[in-house]
């Protein structure tokens, strides 16, 4: 995989609810790029500026794979569009897929892993969600898709920040973090953002798998002047403890700036567990089993693992039932050897996952 | 080794064909290149050429492109525009009887009759492949979960053939008894049209992207493995219960394109590494026609008599190989 990575065309998937600012972001990318030519796959032609770029209209066609797995879905139209684009390899350098506001991002992402031809020609770089700071809370209450889009993303543009108060923004960010604590969040107005923060992220490359170190995330958030109120449910340490955002627990009280949803309509939660050296055989048996059985509920999974007597870090990532992993590099002397795994999903039993992961520890 | 007249195109060779004695190569960049005719190259499509197929009389090449145009390209380089669907990518095309042409984009297909009249057909999901029946104006459209058979001129409901999964290419056997599709998973599906009997053909390590019927429709040759896989269709129940032929087996490269000889029991096989071989059915005798290089073989075509073979690769190499002078 990694050897062929260089020649494959990078693909960025843009998601976000209608009106959040996807088209604004797309136009920004297309107008600000210097020398990069894009093939842009859209659901319908909108007001998109395309001087040197290819624009393709494509009806979203979600196909189930004939393997008995309900979450193994791909976008048939994307398979065909990528095949067609490969007949004009010299005409563009990167692909951007804009999805409709109500689209489930999983089939889009899975297309780049499940279809051999597409996988050979193109590599998924990142899923980018544009979120409307003013309306996202309502969307999260109304729809499953808005939640899925956030849960699935590697990069989130929290857009239209000029239209909300600082308190509201804090609440919105807390709500997003509750669904996906690992995505990189950028606050934007009219999608003003450095293109390098959106493109070429390598979010699905095992070689570049994001450090799952909570310190790193904390820093990223502090850079955005994020401050939580004293009673905010946004738990900065929860990565350590596999805190499952169980809103029923006794000692939780919400403060005024907490936008914690009391009806608990957020069904997507994230879990992170850290243990020491793992027994690879036990771990692989477990991860294969858990992704087979709970695949439909697992939206994203990432891990950096330490196998007993193995000098190298092992990295894994997954979408639903698709899991891939590889050795990444030698553990450095100055880093602590440990195994950390993150699940973002719906109706996951955090306690059971934790127990099972801990059972993979080498004797 | 047979004599090869090489030719460089400027892009992915989408199709190769003989228009009379002239070899024509359609390039993904938008032009058609010729060997052996008065013209060497003619630009056809502005936004990429996505599909091409020779007309049934073998005199012209029908092309579809990213500019939404459907064109008829003659061997002397003349280009006639048959139709245009603005802003659509025309990536599926089929040539039919009486100079008709079918083409599709997304959930709509059109048939342009010789008179210039255009008929429109809709499906709830995208069209994936088109093929005309050998007799009568009947159009098969592969799609998600099966195939729909439309009557082009007559009223009446289309016939549905169902099989779960995403179907890609569709092809009628030459005498019209069978319909076969390639599938998203590594398999073929077929129907005996008399009674809609299903036939599954599986076991491929890769997706099947090239199919070709042998002379008189005895075998269907297919890509998708490290050999050309030929399913026998001469019995009453097609390939059911029978093992396919495996020709031109190689341990180190996949077959990407197949093209059966028009009269002999022989198939030209193109591989992932650019090699081309001709292989005889009954004794697996192999003749090397082209050494590896310049990308996977993406197009093969025999001339009418089967004396010459045109080939093209994904990286733009092309040529005409003469087997018999």
């Amino acid at each position: 995989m990694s050897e062929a990575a260089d020649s494959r065309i990078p693909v960025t998937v843009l998601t976000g609810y209608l009106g959040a600012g996807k088209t604004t972001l797309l136009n920004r990318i297309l107008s600000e790029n210097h020398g990069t030519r894009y093939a842009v796959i859209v659901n319908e032609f909108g007001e998109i500026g395309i001087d040197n770029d290819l624009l393709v209209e494509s009806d979203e066609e979600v196909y189930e794979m004939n393997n008995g797995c309900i979450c193994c879905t791909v976008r048939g139209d994307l398979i065909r569009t990528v095949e067609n684009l490969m007949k004009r390899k010299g005409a563009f350098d990167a692909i951007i897929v804009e999805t409709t506001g109500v689209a489930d991002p999983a089939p889009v992402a899975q297309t780049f892993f499940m279809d051999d031809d597409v996988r050979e020609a193109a590599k998924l770089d990142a899923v980018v969600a544009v979120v409307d700071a003013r309306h996202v809370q309502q969307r999260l209450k109304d729809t499953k898709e808005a939640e899925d889009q956030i849960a699935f993303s590697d990069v989130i543009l929290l857009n239209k920040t000029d239209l909300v108060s600082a308190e509201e923004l804090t609440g919105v960010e807390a709500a997003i973090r509750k669904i996906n604590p690992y995505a990189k969040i950028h606050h934007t107005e009219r999608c003003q953002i450095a293109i390098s923060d959106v493109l070429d992220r390598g979010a699905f490359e095992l070689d570049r798998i994001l450090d799952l170190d909570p310190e790193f995330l904390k820093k990223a958030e502090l850079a955005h002047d994020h401050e939580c109120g004293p009673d905010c449910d946004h738990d900065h340490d929860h990565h350590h403890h596999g805190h499952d955002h169980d809103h029923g627990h006794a000692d939780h009280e919400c403060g005024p700036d907490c936008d914690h949803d009391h009806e608990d309509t957020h069904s997507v939660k994230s879990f992170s567990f850290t243990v020491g050296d793992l027994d690879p055989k036990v771990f692989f048996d477990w991860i294969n089993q858990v992704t087979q059985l709970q695949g439909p509920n697992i939206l994203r999974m990432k891990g950096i693992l330490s196998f007993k007597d193995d000098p190298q870090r092992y990295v894994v990532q997954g979408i639903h039932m698709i899991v891939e992993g590889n050795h990444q590099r030698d553990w450095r002397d100055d880093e602590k050897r440990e195994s950390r795994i993150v699940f973002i999903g719906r109706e996951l039993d955090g306690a059971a996952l934790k127990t099972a992961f801990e059972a993979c520890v080498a004797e | 080794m047979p004599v090869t007249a090489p030719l460089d195109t400027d892009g992915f060779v989408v199709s190769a064909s003989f228009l009379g004695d002239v070899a024509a190569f359609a390039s993904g960049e938008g032009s058609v290149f010729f060997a052996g005719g008065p013209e060497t190259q003619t630009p056809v499509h502005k936004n990429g050429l996505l599909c091409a197929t020779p007309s049934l009389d073998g005199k012209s090449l029908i092309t579809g492109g990213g500019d939404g145009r459907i064109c008829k390209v003659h061997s002397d380089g003349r280009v006639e525009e048959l139709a245009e669907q603005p802003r659509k990518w025309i990536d599926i095309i089929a040539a039919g009887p009486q100079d008709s042409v079918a083409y599709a984009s997304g959930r709509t297909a059109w048939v342009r009759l010789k008179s210039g009249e255009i008929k429109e057909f809709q499906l709830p999901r995208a069209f994936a492949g088109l093929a005309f029946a050998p007799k009568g104006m009947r159009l098969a459209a592969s799609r998600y979960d099966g195939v729909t058979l439309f009557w082009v001129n007559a009223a009446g409901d289309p016939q549905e053939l169902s099989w779960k999964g995403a179907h890609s290419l569709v092809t009628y056997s030459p005498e019209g008894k069978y319909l076969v599709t390639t599938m998203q998973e590594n398999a073929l599906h077929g129907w005996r049209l008399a009674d809609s009997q299903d036939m599954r053909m599986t076991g491929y390590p890769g997706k099947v992207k090239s199919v070709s019927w042998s002379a008189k429709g005895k075998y269907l040759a297919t890509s998708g493995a490290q050999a050309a896989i030929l399913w026998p269709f001469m019995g009453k129940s097609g390939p059911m219960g029978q093992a396919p032929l495996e020709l031109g087996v190689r341990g180190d490269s996949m077959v990407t394109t197949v093209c059966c000889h028009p009269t002999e029991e022989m198939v030209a096989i193109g591989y992932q590494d650019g090699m081309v071989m001709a292989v005889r059915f009954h004794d697996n005798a192999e003749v090397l026609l082209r050494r590896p290089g310049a990308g996977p073989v993406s197009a093969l075509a025999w001339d009418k008599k089967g004396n010459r073979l045109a080939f093209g690769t994904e990286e733009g190499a092309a040529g005409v190989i003469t087997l018999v002078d």
Side-chain angles (χ1 to χ4, degrees), chain A residues 150-168:
Chain A
I150 289 169
F152 221 86
S153 295
D154 304 289
V155 177
I156 295 172
L157 268 70
L158 187 47
N159 194 34
K160 306 193 182 183
T161 53
D162 50 328
L163 302 180
V164 293
S165 67
E167 290 77 32
E168 284 173 305

Side-chain angles (χ1 to χ4, degrees), chain A residues 189-257:
Chain A
E189 295 173 20
R190 288 172 292 281
C191 290
Q192 277 171 345
I193 187 166
I195 300 305
S196 59
D197 284 333
V198 178
L199 303 179
D200 194 24
R201 305 304 304 164
F204 290 84
E205 276 173 48
L206 290 169
D207 288 351
R208 287 171 63 181
I209 207 160
L210 264 185
D211 214 334
L212 301 174
D213 182 349
E215 287 300 317
F216 169 85
L217 290 161
K218 219 185 255 180
K219 272 184 223 144
E221 277 165 22
L222 286 173
H224 291 113
D225 300 310
H226 174 78
E227 282 176 34
C228 285
D231 298 319
C232 175
D233 185 50
H234 177 111
D235 180 350
H236 283 246
D237 288 320
H238 70 249
H239 315 292
H240 287 306
H241 308 305
H243 173 69
D244 66 0
H245 305 285
D246 180 355
H247 301 145
H249 63 93
D251 57 355
H252 178 80
E253 278 177 36
C254 286
D257 63 341

Side-chain angles (χ1 to χ4, degrees), chain B:
Chain B
M1 203 159 145
V3 183
T4 300
L7 177 90
D8 281 328
T9 75
D10 61 353
F12 191 114
V13 179
V14 172
S15 100
S17 49
F18 280 93
L19 312 178
D21 281 335
V22 180
F25 304 90
S27 156
E29 293 300 320
S31 290
V32 174
F33 291 75
F34 301 97
E39 196 57 68
T40 54
Q41 180 187 354
T42 189
V44 185
H45 294 283
K46 266 187 289 215
N47 201 3
L49 187 159
L50 301 173
C51 55
T53 188
S55 60
L56 290 196
D57 63 10
K59 290 181 182 161
S60 58
L61 187 68
I62 316 295
T63 62
D67 55 3
R69 293 163 69 236
I70 298 88
C71 295
K72 187 173 196 175
V73 180
H74 298 270
S75 60
D76 59 5
R78 272 182 306 129
V79 179
E80 248 179 275
E81 183 178 300
L82 296 180
E84 187 181 7
Q85 293 296 335
R87 308 195 82 174
K88 298 283 184 202
W89 276 31
I90 306 298
D91 61 349
I92 306 171
I93 207 154
Q98 298 155 40
D99 251 354
S100 61
V101 175
Y103 47 96
S105 176
R107 293 164 196 172
T108 311
W110 299 270
V111 175
R112 183 194 184 275
L113 303 174
K114 191 179 182 180
S115 64
E117 186 191 348
I118 291 174
K119 303 202 174 218
E120 188 175 306
F121 301 88
Q122 302 275 351
L123 282 177
R125 305 286 295 249
F127 282 81
L130 292 171
F132 280 97
K135 284 181 201 135
M137 285 295 272
R138 198 140 206 229
L139 183 68
S142 49
R143 54 172 169 79
Y144 191 53
D145 286 346
V147 174
T148 301
L149 306 177
F150 295 101
W151 296 105
V152 176
N153 287 325
D157 290 338
Q159 185 188 346
E160 309 285 353
L161 297 170
S162 296
W163 187 262
K164 198 168 158 20
H167 298 258
S168 307
L169 296 174
V170 59
T171 179
Y172 274 97
S173 62
E175 82 303 333
K177 263 171 74 182
Y178 300 100
L179 194 67
V180 179
T181 62
T182 65
M183 296 197 68
Q184 165 68 27
E185 48 274 359
N186 305 333
L188 302 181
H189 193 80
W191 289 270
R192 186 169 60 197
L193 290 169
D195 57 0
S196 299
Q197 175 69 47
D198 288 297
M199 300 179 283
R200 296 191 65 199
M201 289 154 270
T202 58
Y204 292 91
K207 223 193 277 184
V208 181
K209 289 196 286 189
S210 172
V211 299
S212 172
W213 292 95
S214 74
K216 300 191 182 100
K218 283 187 176 170
Y219 289 92
L220 179 66
T222 60
S223 67
Q226 292 188 333
I229 306 297
L230 284 85
W231 297 94
F233 275 83
M234 51 280 224
K236 273 196 178 130
S237 52
M240 292 304 89
Q242 300 193 60
L245 302 179
E246 296 183 26
L247 303 180
V249 183
R250 288 182 59 192
D252 55 353
S253 192
M254 294 282 278
V255 172
T256 53
T257 309
V258 289
C259 185
C260 290
H261 192 275
T263 55
E264 306 288 318
E265 299 222 310
M266 180 167 79
V267 60
I269 305 172
Y271 297 85
Q272 182 81 29
D273 63 2
M275 187 192 273
V276 179
M277 285 205 291
V279 183
R280 206 156 53 191
F281 295 1
H282 78 268
D283 58 0
N284 221 330
E286 299 173 353
V287 180
L288 178 65
L289 299 180
R290 180 176 189 266
R291 293 186 201 288
V297 176
S298 54
L300 289 172
W302 291 99
D303 69 4
K304 205 174 168 189
K305 290 181 181 159
N307 294 341
R308 291 180 297 162
L309 179 74
F311 69 90
T313 75
E314 289 188 11
E315 290 175 11
V320 176
I321 302 164
T322 303
L323 285 88
V324 184
D325 265 326

Side-chain angles (χ1 to χ4, degrees), chain A residues 280-294 298 301-302 305 314 316-317 320-321 323-324 341-343 353 356-357 360:
Chain A
K281 189 183 175 310
V282 181
F283 172 77
F284 285 122
D285 284 352
W286 170 66
I287 199 74
N288 285 332
Q289 192 195 24
V290 80
T291 49
Q292 287 298 307
L293 294 176
Q294 298 187 54
I298 298 171
M301 179 274 291
K302 285 185 185 185
L305 310 168
Y314 194 91
V316 287
Q317 66 128 347
H320 290 317
M321 283 193 190
V323 182
E324 54 173 31
I341 195 160
V342 172
F343 292 94
L353 287 172
F357 185 55
C360 300

